[in-house]
Amino acid sequence: MTTKVEKSIQVDVPVNQAYNQWTQFEDFPHFMGGVKEVHQHDDQRLHWTAEIAGVRREWEAAILEQVPDQKIAWAATEGATNAGAVRFEPVGASSTLVHLTLEYEPEGVVEQVGDKLGIVERQVTSDLQRFKELIESEGYATGAWRGSVNEGLDVGTPGVETAGVTRGDSGKAGVSATTVVAGAAAAVAGVAAAAGAAAAASKSDQDTGQPQQEQEVAVVPQPPADQVRQDVLIEASEPEGYSATPSTEGVETGMTDRDRDGGDDPMIGGGSR
């Protein structure tokens, strides 16, 4: 079960000033009460550490789309499952409407209870209020990044389905590592590719009549070492001058064991994961 929070606030500064301040991700702990640290790896990748209601969570996030003075959209790629977007709309020449949308998946009893009590929603409201006080009291942004990420791609407002293409880190992760390296465009493509691969695998299973799980985990045990040696001794140790038909008892026994275990070559061990 996921939770979606949408909050807006009007700040009395020009839109470029409000946007510039929001691009300073490592300054977020100055106005976001639950955020302990944000480390920016590069223009698209961030590591977050937060603590809300006594629960500490960490996650990696990728910027999926960033358009100066308009929008920043992101999705978690590892750790706590969350995604969303913040939009900036000018209201006259010296005022801006900041609209934040966040969707997340609470984990564990503490987070689920906190979610029912609306703790995260109240935290978002408080954070936006502190952002307003910070930018209005300073009168200028502490920094700015005016570059763009996948401008024109229009990813909309990412939800947890974007952050949940793959699973990990206690079952809550995001898009693949390849997606992170490739950037936001690959993230969107990765979602489609993952869905296509799953559909193809499902169709293949139906055609062959074999469950996918059996193909992934089929394992055939090695024959006992003494049996292998017995086969060799029977084949190679006939007394000199003995003319009886060579015994195949050991070989037949070995074949029966393999047949009982599934018929696969023990050196192959079935399909790959």
Side-chain angles (χ1 to χ4, degrees):
M1 182 176 180
T2 64
T3 298
K4 190 172 185 177
V5 176
E6 294 185 82
K7 295 292 179 180
S8 299
I9 195 168
Q10 185 168 325
V11 296
D12 294 328
V13 297
V15 66
N16 64 334
Q17 186 174 329
Y19 171 84
N20 288 346
Q21 184 62 59
W22 204 280
T23 65
Q24 303 307 289
F25 301 115
E26 294 189 348
D27 288 345
F28 278 12
H30 294 322
F31 66 88
M32 289 189 174
V35 177
K36 297 301 181 182
E37 182 182 18
V38 178
H39 175 70
Q40 186 164 2
H41 301 302
D42 54 38
D43 291 342
Q44 292 180 246
R45 298 183 305 131
L46 307 166
H47 179 84
W48 291 68
T49 303
E51 185 175 330
I52 299 179
V55 178
R56 183 182 181 88
R57 299 292 286 142
E58 295 189 35
W59 66 92
E60 294 282 332
I63 303 298
L64 303 185
E65 183 184 5
Q66 186 164 346
V67 182
D69 299 338
Q70 296 182 34
K71 175 185 179 182
I72 302 173
W74 79 92
T77 61
E78 180 181 340
T81 304
N82 68 94
V86 58
R87 290 177 169 81
F88 304 85
E89 181 182 345
V91 182
S94 59
S95 189
T96 304
L97 182 65
V98 180
H99 183 77
L100 176 64
T101 301
L102 167 67
E103 188 172 9
Y104 65 96
E105 186 171 349
E107 302 175 40
V109 175
V110 175
E111 288 189 13
Q112 291 174 10
V113 171
D115 181 63
K116 293 183 183 298
L117 295 175
I119 292 178
V120 173
E121 184 173 2
R122 292 199 298 272
Q123 185 71 59
V124 170
T125 301
S126 177
D127 290 347
L128 287 176
Q129 181 61 40
R130 281 196 292 269
F131 174 75
K132 173 181 173 68
E133 294 170 358
L134 171 68
I135 193 65
E136 289 181 355
S137 63
E138 292 291 342
Y140 60 89
T142 59
W145 187 72
R146 303 295 299 178
S148 63
V149 175
N150 295 317
E151 185 172 355
L153 186 62
D154 191 15
V155 301
T157 302
V160 294
E161 73 280 356
T162 305
V165 176
T166 58
R167 296 292 181 176
D169 184 36
S170 300
K172 308 300 174 187
V175 291
S176 67
T178 302
T179 297
V180 178
V181 175
V188 177
V191 175
S202 176
K203 184 178 185 303
S204 176
D205 293 340
Q206 293 173 359
D207 293 341
T208 61
Q210 295 181 355
Q212 182 178 1
Q213 182 178 4
E214 292 184 4
Q215 294 177 353
E216 293 179 348
V217 301
V219 177
V220 178
Q222 291 279 5
D226 58 345
Q227 179 180 323
V228 175
R229 289 196 299 271
Q230 182 182 4
D231 293 345
V232 174
L233 289 172
I234 291 175
E235 294 282 351
S237 63
E238 298 295 345
E240 184 177 355
Y242 186 76
S243 59
T245 303
S247 172
T248 59
E249 180 182 355
V251 176
E252 291 175 350
T253 300
M255 288 298 294
T256 301
D257 290 341
R258 287 192 294 273
D259 291 340
R260 184 171 59 253
D261 290 335
D264 287 344
D265 186 337
M267 296 306 292
I268 295 176
S272 59
R273 287 180 66 96

